[in-house]
Amino acid sequence: GESAGGNLAANVAIAARDNGWTEPKHMLLVYPVAQPNMKTPSYIQYADAAPLSKAAMSWFVKHTFSDPEQAKDPRINLTAADLRGLPPATLVLAQIDPLQDDGHMLSDKLRDSDVSVELRMYEGAAHEFFGMADVNSDAKAAQTWAFDRLKADLSRLASR
């Protein structure tokens, strides 16, 4: 999942674990939305970044929730969620992104919850770079690395 989709992907894994559904075998989380605090260092440093700015994130919050306090729900604030027992995670982060710290915080929370995590941050990359492999060598490298991680985990599970 990418951005808000990264949050959704983690929530699918949590819901599957909690409800006894078929669980995902791996989480690929690309610059995920992971918490509601817009005063982190990356939100401050990259407040005017393009294509995702702090103002854009504020707009999304305003138009998603009837009350900003709803963003503190563990389904949005993954740093407050129970992440134990989730599948391994690959996190791809962009340097020039208000969500950079979200990814680092989520990575730390996953590790603290004994979830296997690998993280790479791409220097000089901005939010949304991941899907631009045809024109961006960092995106191509990020996709290759992420897909190699995903294939390795799925191959390891298939050989059991």
Side-chain angles (χ1 to χ4, degrees), residues 1-7 9 28-33 127-131:
E2 223 178 318
S3 196
N7 183 289
L28 174 54
L29 310 173
V30 181
Y31 27 77
V33 174
H127 192 87
E128 293 297 333
F129 87 100
F130 189 76

Side-chain angles (χ1 to χ4, degrees), residues 71-94:
K72 294 180 180 175
D73 184 298
R75 290 170 293 183
I76 302 301
N77 184 8
L78 294 172
T79 63
D82 176 7
L83 304 180
R84 292 172 296 174
L86 295 185
T90 296
L91 278 90
V92 174
L93 306 182

Side-chain angles (χ1 to χ4, degrees), residues 101-132:
D101 289 332
D102 281 44
H104 287 292
M105 286 187 262
L106 180 55
S107 175
D108 291 344
K109 173 73 180 202
L110 287 163
R111 282 189 180 103
D112 290 346
S113 301
D114 294 321
V115 174
S116 173
V117 177
E118 286 199 39
L119 177 147
R120 281 199 184 163
M121 185 179 70
Y122 289 83
E123 301 290 331
H127 192 87
E128 293 297 333
F129 87 100
F130 189 76
M132 299 179 183

Side-chain angles (χ1 to χ4, degrees), residues 57-67 70 76:
M57 285 300 294
S58 295
W59 186 91
F60 293 134
V61 169
K62 178 182 176 187
H63 288 86
T64 301
F65 304 107
S66 58
D67 177 353
Q70 291 173 314
I76 302 301

